[in-house]
């Protein structure tokens, strides 16, 4: 019997299958491979011939991500040049004119825009709040798409209940696992058919690469859409993502310990009117989070007393935490969801997603929690009267 290996062992060891003569998987910096030839190895069931289709460095990463997301050998795993490249390839492969896509209103703003644009290809798009998804699945639903933990309100979906309903109605459940990561949650183990990550965030983890991953069952056609849309990951970027993934578990665990500490402090601060962190009992989806997640993640959002002016001034006064529209990296980052998403979401959509003008999202990195707290306090001191 083969020994069961742990998360980080898989993250480090799995890719070595690709070239056992190299401890670190080499970067195959080539666009082409000898073809036709009797010796062309099969990758995803196709002969290796062209890097827009497959590349061994990309495959090494795909094997690692698959091992982290599921034990199911039947699953396929594909890596992309961004999370959006992965999501669009999945949408195109699963939806056609007449299909119905049921979507949570709390997904990333460009996922929402992409879905709304699919209407012009004859896809029916039904957008509902995350907590209404389960009741909205019907025999007409082709695909359900949601984020396990939503951005920026950190609402956690009751995945087992949603998956049960999707199975009953034969709807394909695809979950964006970006905020939760396979460290804290594995969608396929809870009945979802696909798990998507913007690997730009926690998986790569160092704010220096753009990438996406899709792992799932019955998704072999995604390979075809990836090569038609041209969204495969570059081999150099695949190497960087894999290097990041080796430390994913230790990073996420350290970052979420700091996030919990900061969330608790802010909840006691009179200058903050609301803290959204699923690890706090006050969070609307704390119970679901406690039941299904291994950890609560490293992102929290909070409303500062006042409005947009106070939120933006607070961000300007920060000295250590950077203002940037991403998350999941070693550097702590803040952003203002109402203005960042305002370009692609209407006022109504912002309101529906629970994004107020004073809301600030904080992605906690690997700096010391005490320094981050000092930075937040000193910025609040300048902006908000106690
Ligand atoms: N999913 C979530 C939850 C995101 O936050 C983002 C981007 O911010 C994406 C998907 C898109 O990923 P990418 O920026 O890698 O295309």
């Amino acid at each position: 019997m083969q020994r069961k290996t742990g998360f980080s062992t898989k993250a480090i060891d799995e890719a070595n299958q690709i070239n056992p003569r190299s401890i670190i998987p080499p970067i195959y910096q080539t666009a082409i491979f000898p073809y036709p030839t009797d010796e062309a190895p099969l990758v995803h069931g196709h002969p290796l011939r062209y890097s827009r289709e497959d590349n061994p460095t990309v495959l090494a990463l795909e094997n690692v991500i698959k091992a982290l997301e599921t034990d199911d050998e039947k699953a396929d795993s594909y890596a992309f040049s961004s999370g959006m490249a992965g999501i669009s390839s999945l949408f195109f492969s699963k939806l056609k004119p007449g299909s119905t896509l049921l979507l949570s209103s709390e997904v990333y703003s460009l996922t929402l825009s992409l879905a709304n644009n699919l209407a012009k290809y004859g896809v029916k798009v039904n957008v509902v709040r995350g907590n209404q998804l389960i009741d909205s699945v019907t025999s007409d639903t082709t695909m359900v798409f949601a984020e396990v933990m939503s951005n920026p309100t950190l609402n956690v979906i009751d995945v087992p209940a949603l998956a049960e309903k999707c199975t009953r109605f034969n709807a394909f459940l695809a979950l964006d696992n970006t905020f939760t990561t396979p460290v804290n949650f594995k969608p396929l183990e809870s009945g979802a058919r696909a798990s998507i990550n913007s690997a730009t965030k926690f998986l790569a983890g160092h704010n220096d690469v753009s990438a996406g991953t899709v792992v799932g069952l019955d998704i072999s056609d995604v390979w075809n859409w990836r090569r038609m849309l041209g969204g495969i990951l570059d081999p150099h970027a695949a190497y960087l993502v894999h290097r990041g993934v080796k430390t994913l578990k230790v990073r996420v665990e350290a970052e979420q310990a700091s996030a919990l500490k900061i969330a608790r402090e802010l909840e006691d601060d009179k200058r903050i009117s609301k803290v959204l962190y699923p690890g706090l009992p006050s969070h609307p989806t704390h119970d679901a989070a406690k039941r299904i997640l291994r950890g609560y993640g490293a992102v929290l959002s909070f409303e500062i007393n006042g409005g947009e002016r106070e939120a933006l001034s607070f961000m300007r006064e920060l000295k250590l935490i950077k203002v940037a529209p991403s998350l999941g990296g070693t550097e702590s980052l803040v952003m203002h969801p109402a203005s960042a998403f305002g370009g692609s979401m209407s006022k109504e959509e912002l309101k529906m997603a629970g994004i107020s003008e004073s809301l600030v999202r904080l992605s906690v990195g690997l700096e010391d929690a005490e320094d981050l707290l000092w930075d937040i306090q000193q910025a609040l001191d300048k902006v908000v009267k106690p």
Side-chain angles (χ1 to χ4, degrees):
M1 199 176 84
Q2 222 191 335
R3 187 172 170 269
K4 274 201 164 223
T5 45
F7 189 96
S8 290
T9 310
K10 286 180 189 165
I12 291 164
D13 196 48
E14 201 68 29
N16 293 353
Q17 322 297 341
I18 210 81
N19 185 339
R21 300 202 61 77
S22 171
I23 301 293
I24 304 301
I27 301 173
Y28 284 80
Q29 188 59 54
T30 175
I32 48 172
F33 302 89
Y35 183 82
T37 158
D38 292 343
E39 282 115 58
L42 289 187
V43 179
H44 298 306
H46 307 273
L48 180 65
R49 55 194 169 193
Y50 195 53
S51 280
R52 178 164 40 72
E53 296 179 342
D54 283 300
N55 177 284
T57 317
V58 177
L59 179 65
L61 173 68
E62 289 167 341
N63 288 344
V64 171
I65 303 299
K66 177 172 153 177
L68 300 184
E69 288 274 8
T70 179
D71 290 332
D72 193 334
E73 275 306 313
K74 292 192 296 305
D76 286 309
S77 173
Y78 303 108
F80 295 84
S81 56
S82 69
M84 287 314 299
I87 293 169
S88 50
S89 295
L90 184 66
F91 279 2
F92 277 109
S93 81
K94 286 286 163 197
L95 300 166
K96 56 179 196 265
S99 298
T100 300
L101 169 63
L102 175 63
L103 187 76
S104 161
S105 61
E106 293 157 87
V107 292
Y108 171 56
S109 58
L110 284 175
T111 305
L112 189 63
S113 302
L114 173 67
N116 284 330
N117 270 289
L118 291 179
K120 71 179 176 206
Y121 303 107
V123 175
K124 286 177 249 162
V125 183
N126 185 11
V127 181
V128 300
R129 287 299 305 245
N131 59 9
Q132 290 162 3
L133 280 171
I134 296 174
D135 289 340
S136 307
V137 181
T138 69
S139 52
D140 280 339
T141 311
T142 314
M143 181 181 191
V144 178
F145 190 96
E147 290 168 17
V148 178
M149 187 188 284
S150 72
N151 174 24
T153 44
L154 297 323
N155 286 326
V156 176
I157 302 265
D158 184 348
V159 178
L162 179 59
E164 193 273 320
K165 188 89 186 275
C166 288
T167 306
R168 193 143 39 97
F169 286 96
N170 201 22
F172 185 93
L173 176 60
L175 294 174
D176 185 325
N177 204 25
T178 300
F179 276 60
T180 22
T181 83
V183 174
N184 286 332
F185 189 68
K186 301 186 191 226
L188 271 62
E189 282 183 1
S190 288
R193 308 295 287 169
S195 172
I196 297 99
N197 280 279
S198 165
T200 316
K201 314 296 184 330
F202 290 98
L203 265 49
H206 293 73
N207 288 321
D208 57 3
V209 61
S210 165
T213 62
V214 177
V215 177
L217 296 158
D218 308 315
I219 60 159
S220 56
D221 197 33
V222 170
W223 182 88
N224 214 15
W225 280 96
R226 183 178 68 173
R227 77 177 174 141
M228 289 193 284
L229 296 173
I232 195 172
L233 188 59
D234 170 83
H236 265 279
Y239 166 81
L240 282 175
V241 177
H242 180 229
R243 192 162 71 160
V245 166
K246 291 180 191 183
T247 57
L248 177 63
K249 185 160 179 256
V250 286
R251 279 187 288 106
V252 167
E253 287 177 352
E255 288 167 353
Q256 65 195 10
S258 296
L260 181 60
K261 201 181 235 180
I262 293 168
R264 284 184 175 146
E265 288 266 342
L266 292 184
E267 206 172 36
D268 287 340
D269 195 313
K270 298 271 178 299
R271 296 165 296 182
I272 302 293
S273 47
K274 190 196 268 183
V275 181
L276 293 170
Y277 182 66
L280 295 176
S282 59
H283 191 276
T285 64
H286 175 66
D287 288 347
K290 199 167 157 190
R291 187 159 35 86
I292 73 167
L293 302 184
R294 293 180 193 90
Y296 299 111
V299 182
L300 58 131
S301 296
F302 47 92
E303 286 180 357
I304 296 176
N305 286 352
E308 183 178 70
R309 197 163 59 87
E310 283 74 12
L312 294 177
S313 316
F314 165 78
M315 289 177 17
R316 267 195 301 275
E317 293 296 344
L318 290 166
K319 299 202 182 313
L320 171 64
I321 301 168
K322 318 282 182 294
V323 181
S326 195
L327 61 118
T330 41
E331 293 76 19
S332 293
L333 303 177
V334 277
M335 54 93 75
H336 183 243
S339 42
F341 301 159
S344 52
M345 287 168 86
S346 67
K347 277 211 153 52
E348 198 132 281
E349 284 170 333
L350 285 173
K351 199 167 164 221
M352 211 170 145
I355 301 172
S356 73
E357 295 204 324
S358 67
L359 192 75
V360 172
R361 186 188 78 189
L362 168 66
S363 170
V364 179
L366 280 181
E367 305 92 340
D368 296 286
E370 292 68 27
D371 292 333
L372 296 172
L373 274 167
W374 167 83
D375 196 21
I376 293 168
Q377 305 293 1
Q378 67 80 26
L380 283 173
D381 287 347
K382 291 189 183 117
V383 173
V384 196
K385 301 274 164 294

